[in-house]
Amino acid sequence: MENIRVRFAPSPTGALHIGGVRTALYNYLFARKHGGTFILRIEDTDQTRYIKGAEAYIIEALEWCGFTPDEGPGFGGDYGPYRQSERKDMYAAFAQQLVDNGKAYYAFDTPEELDAIREAEKEKGNHTFKYDSKVRATLNNSIRLSANEVQAKLDAGEPYTIRLKVPENEEVKVNDLIRGEVIFQSNELDDKILLKADGMPTYHLANIVDDHAMKISHVIRGEEWLPSTAHHVLLYQAFGWENEMPKFAHLPLILKPTGKGKLSKRDGAKLGIPVFPLSWDGGTPDDSFVGFREFGFDPGAVRNFLAFLGWNPGTEQEIFSEQELIDAFSIEKIGKSGARFDWDKAQWFNQQYIIASDNKALVPVIRKEIQKHGHDASDDFLAAFAEMMKERVTFYPDFWENAYYFFEPVKEYDPKTIRKKWKPERRPLFEQLLERFDALEDYTGENVKATVEAFMADNELKFGDVLPIMRVGVSGTMKGPAVFDMMALLGKEEVNQRLRKAYDVMDEAHAS
Ligand code: GLU
């Protein structure tokens, strides 16, 4: 392939939605696959929608997911600056160029004038007033006004916008790599504003000028931008850049977990699940979200999950390392129809990633979780703990939630087990078991097991008489890792102390 240059071009208008992260991922995979360049461009020309902290959020999210840009603000590159606000002085000249060659025009209509026209049209029953080829000759612009009138307005410093003069009666063809040829009728398209009255470009102008200046080869973005692409194709033609036009690929929508309708940030809040990569605090409850990171996801699992939201390798394989994704990825395998945000699948991916993690790699992750609760433990302890627990968690915080008792005393003993399994008259026997443990020199899982088995044989007890007592005695719950391993990790003194206390608690429960 030719020199592949792709860009992720978010607007810093708030937290980056998971759909944006998927767009970044597909751009990143495509660039890596073809030895190309992955560019981050910040589209921040709309100052009214600018949100402080959003750019930093975007960059942090990309880095957490592992899609570090090759070029971008703070990342270097020969085509900068990569923030549109830092390029703002160059756009006006491009708009002017189009006015000069008759592809665009000055429009002096004020917002109030346009509102009045819109209102008047509404009264006539027309609710879809468009500033387009049908009406432009009747409005306050350089199409209708004479050259002298226009000059007089310009000389007087009257504010104006520059609008694209969309040609009449043309078919505008967009060749989309995912959807094939998509045809738009130019008569349906409005004369989009390119340059605003404050001299700032609109998204359309800045986006096209920059894609061209940055030699973008492929535009991979969400489906919601497909309608704009008709204008973008016209802009390439107006500039005479049609031979350098990038190829377009519009990604399918991400649908709600129910499969009905587009996934929105509200769905996350409603279902108590993350739909943003990182937590975001916008200052109000409505604008504050929990992130995949804070929920306890492995970034590799998020990447793997997102890769499948719209793309499919065409094989049975589901778990893909980053390199495997790069090798398998292709735009041809991206689907047209919406991809359902399947929360069960997201959880499944995370479980698989945790299970496949090296115990040593989990040590710092687990340490962070238990430190949140004021605890710490040695690397060896945590690695052994990881081995026991990693098949029993879905998210990182579960290491604490499901197994806090490895780090602090049991809070609650399962009442059902106490009721059914504890026989106060057996207390002397169980005391004796503690003596047998005490006598053990080498307190390993195997030795503990052998000790318990000998104790059972000598006292004609069954596993069901003893193991639940051991398990609930040391952990409080019937759920958890293999009981003898758990006991070995906790250690002889700790276990005996816990069991002695548990016997008291169980006796008391029976007495009351
Ligand atoms: N700034 C646009 C956005 O926020 C970019 C769309 C595009 O990729 O062209 O998504």
Side-chain angles (χ1 to χ4, degrees), residues 7-13 16 20 23 27 41-44 49 84 203 207-208 211 219-222 224-225 228-229 232 248 250:
R7 85 303 192 270
F8 176 52
S11 300
T13 55
L16 178 67
T23 300
N27 276 285
R41 184 173 73 224
I42 300 293
E43 303 211 324
D44 58 350
R49 297 182 60 218
Q84 288 186 328
Y203 154 72
N207 189 266
I208 272 31
D211 279 349
V219 169
I220 304 170
R221 63 184 171 194
E224 65 273 26
W225 299 102
S228 301
T229 312
H232 298 175
F248 293 99
H250 287 93

Side-chain angles (χ1 to χ4, degrees), residues 4 36 45 47 52 73 193 210 258 285 349 373 394 410 426 451 511:
I4 299 292
T45 54
Q47 290 300 318
K52 206 167 154 264
I193 295 181
D210 285 349
T258 55
F349 271 115
H373 302 274
T394 306
V410 173
R426 284 189 192 148
T451 306

